[in-house]
Amino acid sequence: HNRLPIGREMQTRDRILDTALVLFGMRGVDAVSLDEIARTVGVRKQTVLYWFENKDTLVDEVLGVAAAELVIVIDAALRAAPDDPLDRIDAVIRAVFRPAVRRPALLGLIREVSRLDTAQAERLRERLTPLVDRAVGYLSAEMDAGRLRRGDPGLVAALGYATLTGIATEPEALRAVGWQRDAAGLRALRDELRAFLRAALSP
């Protein structure tokens, strides 16, 4: 579709994306049909297929929206954060948890990522690579400057990422220690992660 969507048409596309994000995140990609998405949005299935060639295309777009949201949130947090690297890391963690507390479906979406087929997973990885590269570059520069404890910047970034995705993919492991996946539980976990990284990275 080369013509630019305007007004109500674009709103329909956004509503389809938003509904798909919530349903995929809450119930899993496989459990949700295009028919159900169309019903929830209040349009015909043909309308969904007008905007998105098939379900795979819709899944790709939903993941793209979620990745873009993450980039915007992190950028805004970094712009507002003080210069101290520990404060900046803290600001990023708080920023990443904020949408997760507001929209639990986003955590579910992270869980779904591990079940994607190879091509989809690769496309998502391409979207997130610049973000990861920036994080590793930043940690490396601050370690070189002596403002963070010397360590492997790639592994530190990976540990942070693994913690976030682990919340989504391994809630049972967390429930074993009495953790509840609700807003209060997410905030408690966020604060533990902030304290842990601050202690681990203090020079």
Side-chain angles (χ1 to χ4, degrees):
H1 309 293
N2 291 331
R3 56 200 187 85
L4 280 173
I6 48 168
R8 183 176 302 157
E9 284 195 355
M10 199 59 201
Q11 284 174 352
T12 302
R13 185 180 188 277
D14 288 344
R15 274 174 37 232
I16 293 167
L17 275 173
D18 204 56
T19 301
L21 188 154
V22 172
L23 291 175
F24 288 158
M26 290 306 204
R27 301 232 317 277
V29 170
D30 291 342
V32 179
S33 67
L34 291 182
D35 288 299
E36 185 182 352
I37 291 167
R39 264 200 316 278
T40 308
V41 176
V43 296
R44 301 196 329 279
K45 183 179 177 180
Q46 282 73 12
T47 306
V48 176
L49 289 169
Y50 168 79
W51 289 109
F52 306 97
E53 194 181 334
N54 51 40
K55 190 175 175 180
D56 281 349
T57 311
L58 178 57
V59 171
D60 268 355
E61 289 281 334
V62 164
L63 292 170
V65 165
E69 244 179 69
L70 195 61
V71 172
I72 289 166
V73 157
I74 289 173
D75 276 345
L78 287 173
R79 275 199 304 277
D83 177 55
D84 179 73
L86 292 169
D87 289 339
R88 289 172 82 81
I89 290 164
D90 200 58
V92 167
I93 292 167
R94 282 201 316 263
V96 168
F97 268 86
R98 209 168 294 128
V101 171
R102 264 206 328 270
R103 299 181 79 175
L106 283 171
L107 280 181
L109 207 58
I110 295 173
R111 182 191 60 232
E112 286 301 296
V113 168
S114 61
R115 302 173 186 171
L116 294 178
D117 69 49
T118 318
Q120 280 177 321
E122 186 54 35
R123 282 194 292 278
L124 182 67
R125 205 178 61 75
E126 281 167 15
R127 286 198 176 101
L128 292 176
T129 297
L131 203 58
V132 174
D133 289 348
R134 269 176 60 196
V136 172
Y138 176 73
L139 290 169
S140 181
E142 293 293 351
M143 286 172 180
D144 288 346
R147 284 161 35 110
L148 289 177
R149 182 187 65 79
R150 165 63 58 204
D152 181 324
L155 286 179
V156 171
L159 279 171
Y161 177 76
T163 304
L164 287 170
T165 53
I167 299 160
T169 52
E170 307 296 337
E172 280 67 37
L174 286 159
R175 275 201 281 273
V177 295
W179 184 74
Q180 294 293 315
R181 185 167 150 181
D182 54 19
L186 281 169
R187 280 194 289 271
L189 190 60
R190 174 200 67 193
D191 292 341
E192 285 298 342
L193 179 60
R194 287 165 59 200
F196 179 78
L197 282 174
R198 190 168 276 275
L201 291 171
S202 290

